[in-house]
Amino acid sequence: ISDGWSMGVLISEITKLYGAILQNESTELPDLPIQFGDYAEWQTDYLQGEVLDKQLEYWQKQLGDNPPPLELPTDRPRPLVQTNAGATTSIFLPQNIVKQINEFSRKNGGTLFMTLMAAFKVLLARYSGLFDISIGTPIANRTRKETEGLIGLFINTLVIRTPFYDNPSFQELWQREKQNTLHAYEYQDIPFEFLVDKLQPDRDMSYPPLFQVMFILQNAPMQIQKISSDLQMEM
């Protein structure tokens, strides 16, 4: 049971050991400062009392009123029970566009993720006619240096919700997205499944609770990201 980051760690270690064997060299992996069990115990102890109440209070305020489902126009009716059937399509942004997006993000004191998320929500609003958009996004949840070399399931899912009924400019919407993202990161410790259990949103087997669209920006360390991508291509 692990995540994409862990797969990069695993393949990197196997590559190092296998390379040493081929060269008839001895090598040892460095001792880990902590084990995954230590992290799990810390998480259990940490998410109690005042800390848990404060985090739940934030998410209750953000999502407790049951965000409206994102109904996108499709070429066929949504099945009564959600499945994993689907397809994949790829597009590539020109390098000069990516450069401009990065420059805009830096100029406004934010990140590429914030800018792309804001633009994505504008697109979804145009397609759906909805101006209260909730999007799920995974977070590595490795907030301490000691966890970077561990193999385990650290990943969590955050729901970033942005209402914009007042027809804001993109600059205003971007500022909201920045604040919503920073706040979500601040309260990232509650596992998503625990949050769903506590909020008890309306459930429908045709779509997942709290969000229906995910946005993922792959920004793991370059070596780990490349190894993970190569592994996925081979699979």
Side-chain angles (χ1 to χ4, degrees), residues 21-49:
I21 292 173
L22 290 180
Q23 299 298 324
N24 199 25
E25 298 174 351
S26 62
T27 185
E28 293 185 4
L29 298 175
D31 292 335
L32 295 172
I34 62 173
Q35 296 290 329
F36 184 76
D38 300 320
Y39 169 80
E41 183 178 358
W42 168 84
Q43 185 184 49
T44 301
D45 293 340
Y46 176 71
L47 282 176
Q48 295 187 34

Side-chain angles (χ1 to χ4, degrees), residues 198-210:
K198 289 296 182 181
L199 294 181
Q200 290 292 306
D202 292 341
R203 301 300 297 269
D204 187 322
M205 293 300 291
S206 64
Y207 57 80
L210 298 180

Side-chain angles (χ1 to χ4, degrees), residues 160-208:
I160 302 180
R161 180 183 183 183
T162 307
F164 44 102
Y165 293 105
D166 53 340
N167 193 28
S169 66
F170 183 78
Q171 184 74 40
E172 293 170 331
L173 174 63
W174 186 91
Q175 290 294 337
R176 294 181 193 179
E177 199 62 41
K178 175 183 176 180
Q179 292 303 316
N180 290 341
T181 300
L182 292 175
H183 289 154
Y185 288 171
E186 183 179 354
Y187 298 99
Q188 66 178 271
D189 298 306
I190 292 184
F192 177 74
E193 60 273 14
F194 180 85
L195 186 63
V196 172
D197 182 61
K198 289 296 182 181
L199 294 181
Q200 290 292 306
D202 292 341
R203 301 300 297 269
D204 187 322
M205 293 300 291
S206 64
Y207 57 80

Side-chain angles (χ1 to χ4, degrees), residues 2-173:
S2 63
D3 51 28
W5 185 303
S6 298
M7 291 301 296
V9 174
L10 175 63
I11 301 302
S12 179
E13 292 182 350
I14 290 176
T15 302
K16 181 178 180 180
L17 294 173
Y18 185 65
I21 292 173
L22 290 180
Q23 299 298 324
N24 199 25
E25 298 174 351
S26 62
T27 185
E28 293 185 4
L29 298 175
D31 292 335
L32 295 172
I34 62 173
Q35 296 290 329
F36 184 76
D38 300 320
Y39 169 80
E41 183 178 358
W42 168 84
Q43 185 184 49
T44 301
D45 293 340
Y46 176 71
L47 282 176
Q48 295 187 34
E50 185 178 348
V51 172
L52 179 60
D53 291 343
K54 186 176 180 180
Q55 297 227 1
L56 277 175
E57 181 181 2
Y58 170 78
W59 291 112
Q60 181 71 45
K61 181 180 178 181
Q62 289 295 107
L63 307 172
D65 61 341
N66 238 342
L70 185 61
E71 296 288 353
L72 293 172
T74 59
D75 60 349
R76 67 198 68 190
R78 179 186 292 273
L80 296 179
V81 178
Q82 183 186 6
T83 72
N84 291 321
T88 299
T89 186
S90 299
I91 62 171
F92 298 89
L93 297 178
Q95 187 174 0
N96 65 312
I97 297 295
V98 176
K99 181 179 179 181
Q100 291 177 40
I101 295 173
N102 275 307
E103 289 177 351
F104 174 87
S105 304
R106 287 193 295 267
K107 181 180 178 181
N108 288 276
T111 64
L112 176 65
F113 174 86
M114 297 170 183
T115 303
L116 293 177
M117 176 74 94
F120 188 43
K121 287 185 176 177
V122 171
L123 178 68
L124 293 177
R126 295 288 178 87
Y127 275 113
S128 67
L130 188 68
F131 296 96
D132 185 353
I133 307 291
S134 299
I135 292 181
T137 185
I139 188 167
N141 213 21
R142 297 174 187 251
T143 56
R144 298 185 63 88
K145 183 72 175 177
E146 296 89 341
T147 62
E148 292 184 0
L150 295 183
I151 293 174
L153 187 61
F154 289 86
I155 194 170
N156 193 20
T157 301
L158 302 179
V159 184
I160 302 180
R161 180 183 183 183
T162 307
F164 44 102
Y165 293 105
D166 53 340
N167 193 28
S169 66
F170 183 78
Q171 184 74 40
E172 293 170 331
L173 174 63

